[in-house]
Amino acid sequence: MDLQLRDKTALVTGASMGIGKGIARVLAREGVDVAICARHKEGLDAAAEEIRRESGRRVLAIPADLTRREDAETFVKSAARQLGRIDILVNNAGSAPGGVLEALDEDAWMQGLQLKFMGYVRCLRAALPIMKTQGGGRVLNLIGNDGVKDSYWEIVPGACNAAGQNLTKALAGQYGRFNISFVAVNPGPVRTERWDGLVKAMARDMKLTYEQADQLAPRSIPLGRIAEVEEVANLCAYLASPLAHFVNGTMIEIDGGQQKPLMDAARG
Ligand SMILES: NC(=O)c1ccc[n+]([C@@H]2O[C@H](COP(=O)([O-])OP(=O)(O)OC[C@H]3O[C@@H](n4cnc5c(N)ncnc54)[C@H](OP(=O)(O)O)[C@@H]3O)[C@@H](O)[C@H]2O)c1
């Protein structure tokens, strides 16, 4: 299938590793010029060089900390100027601390909202006027299935994700008339570089061994495993393409059919 992505442009946030890097890589492979951001220049430059070498496309590496309004604006504006337009914005840079209510102080809540919700808002505020002027665009918000499948160990990500899902639908209602469409992608657990850290935190909080904690997610998923980055990236490439422009104001889960929250799985 020709995804009709050749010579399009995309911005992908948080793309020096993990799902963001996977998405930037698949888009570039499909002929898209991309701009990527992350805080640490070294890892960002290395990811850009790897994707550039592999795809032969333009890959701009623009360091930015999306918890800062000026950085988000500079990233979006500088990428738009250098690439000429923004056909696709992929909001992906985000994480929020896990843990139960008693273990989470106000800083933990604010930390989650600051990046996982406000980081997306900041990039949208900078990119949507540009898309409007150019006559259209496509927004993918990488969110997370715990925004719709509640888990008491993931209440901060759950709150940030529910807010992001609501925002995605709300903006679709406002911007459709400008030919800008929005979709939220809700992964369940995905094997990224930070998976190991998450398993360690779960083991600590649930008083399990690392091996027991590592089995929690697969046990909570009917397919018996967590997702690979490429599976999420391939879905995103299709959703970013003109073929899926009409998939608007909705969300798609990619979680192997996970129903039970991790803590329920822990109880067996
Ligand atoms: N992995 C999962 O299991 C999973 C499940 C559901 C949803 N998700 C969502 O999918 C998205 C990607 O997750 P992931 O696991 O691939 O993340 P990741 O491996 O932790 O990668 C995060 C990326 O974001 C960058 N980043 C972190 N803080 C940033 C900041 N303040 N400003 C700009 N960039 C920043 C990181 O680089 P620097 O550190 O250099 O900034 C890195 O490139 C996230 O929104 C996450 O919530 C992931």
Side-chain angles (χ1 to χ4, degrees), residues 13-21 23 37-41 43-44 63-68 71 91-96 115-116 120 141-146 154 157 161 185-195 198 226-227 229 232 254:
T13 70
S16 62
M17 62 175 105
I19 297 171
K21 181 178 171 188
I23 294 170
C37 77
R39 288 165 305 174
H40 301 97
K41 185 170 170 11
L44 185 67
D65 179 348
L66 299 179
T67 63
R68 298 156 54 99
D71 278 25
N91 278 312
N92 167 82
S95 62
L115 180 63
K116 181 74 202 191
Y120 289 28
N141 289 329
L142 265 288
I143 304 207
N145 75 344
D146 39 23
E154 292 170 297
N161 289 343
V185 177
N186 293 332
V190 183
R191 193 168 300 284
T192 63
E193 288 86 339
R194 76 187 165 103
W195 181 248
L198 282 175
I226 67 172
V229 166
V232 180
I254 171 160

Side-chain angles (χ1 to χ4, degrees), residues 93-105:
S95 62
V100 293
L101 186 75
E102 298 75 10
L104 295 161
D105 60 16

Side-chain angles (χ1 to χ4, degrees), residues 197-217:
L198 282 175
V199 172
K200 282 183 184 141
M202 283 193 283
R204 181 199 62 214
D205 288 2
M206 299 176 200
K207 310 210 177 341
L208 301 170
T209 64
Y210 179 92
E211 289 68 29
Q212 287 169 326
D214 195 33
Q215 279 311 303
L216 285 182

